Amino acid sequence: MLKKTLLALGAVSVLSASLMANAADYKFDKEGQHAFVQFRIQHLGYSWLYGTFKDFDGTFTFDEANPAADKVSVTLNTASLDTNHAERDKHIRSADFLNSAKFPQATFTSTAVKKEGKDYKITGDLTLNGVTKPITLDAKLMGEGKDPWGGYRAGFEASGNIVLKEFNISKDLGPASQTAELIISVEGVRQ
């Protein structure tokens, strides 16, 4: 009887360890420049204005077998905004838009991850310009595997939209420019 109990406990331990081994924590590969947080917004309805944030960091937990256990956390410095036009960047950093002097950081913290076919829906709280609101990102796994330096990586791309006025961005750029599209591509190194 004792032998059967010990065998059962051993089997449960091995099974638990194998299930836990699927979940892994990843850190964004900032050093290798394999992560990007970008946006685009229509300029007066005539063209797209693209921008990127140069200074950000983040982590994610990924378990393909159990997406409900997945987590994402991102922090970016709003003053690192770059649209390839210095005067425009200065204006976007001002109180008319991001108010970087008062709110130097924006954050995203996931609250739920759901897998839908091969894609993911990542819901979380975005804090921008002193306002926290829930948003949902559409994401997909680009790939995962060993890298040439002995590590293990996973990469995702995600996109979503934010309504500027919901984040106290009151500058009106016209009816075509009320929403900004987020475009995120990250490669994480397993820790």
Side-chain angles (χ1 to χ4, degrees):
M1 180 72 165
L2 179 60
K3 197 175 198 180
K4 285 183 182 180
T5 302
L6 289 174
L7 284 173
L9 285 174
V12 167
S13 296
V14 168
L15 181 61
S16 295
S18 68
L19 289 175
M20 290 178 63
N22 290 334
D25 294 326
Y26 292 80
K27 184 163 176 47
F28 288 5
D29 180 11
K30 278 182 45 174
E31 291 178 25
Q33 293 297 310
H34 295 120
F36 302 90
V37 176
Q38 300 174 320
F39 69 90
R40 74 179 192 164
I41 187 168
Q42 285 200 26
H43 182 252
L44 307 173
Y46 306 134
S47 65
W48 287 103
L49 178 127
Y50 285 82
T52 189
F53 292 93
K54 301 278 191 177
D55 187 11
F56 64 92
D57 206 354
T59 60
F60 60 89
T61 300
F62 176 56
D63 183 349
E64 193 167 13
N66 183 17
D70 293 353
K71 296 177 184 159
V72 180
S73 177
V74 181
T75 300
L76 66 82
N77 293 317
T78 57
S80 73
L81 167 106
D82 184 354
T83 66
N84 202 30
H85 188 280
E87 284 303 310
R88 177 175 51 225
D89 294 350
K90 184 178 175 183
H91 187 204
I92 296 173
R93 291 180 191 123
S94 78
D96 282 347
F97 294 98
L98 297 178
N99 204 355
S100 296
K102 187 173 182 182
F103 303 107
Q105 291 189 324
T107 61
F108 176 80
T109 305
S110 65
T111 55
V113 177
K114 294 180 183 171
K115 190 170 184 183
E116 296 181 353
K118 292 184 178 183
D119 298 328
Y120 296 84
K121 294 278 187 190
I122 303 171
T123 301
D125 292 325
L126 174 65
T127 300
L128 176 68
N129 198 22
V131 177
T132 301
K133 293 260 184 197
I135 67 166
T136 298
L137 301 172
D138 296 315
K140 68 178 178 177
L141 174 65
M142 298 301 297
E144 65 176 312
K146 294 179 182 178
D147 65 26
W149 307 279
Y152 192 90
R153 294 171 181 257
F156 289 87
E157 70 174 14
S159 63
N161 294 315
I162 62 168
V163 177
L164 300 185
K165 289 185 179 178
E166 290 181 357
F167 290 91
N168 284 343
I169 299 172
S170 57
K171 185 71 171 175
D172 192 343
L173 299 173
S177 306
Q178 302 298 309
T179 301
E181 181 182 342
L182 300 175
I183 307 158
I184 303 154
S185 177
V186 297
E187 188 173 300
V189 180
R190 188 163 66 189
Q191 302 299 292

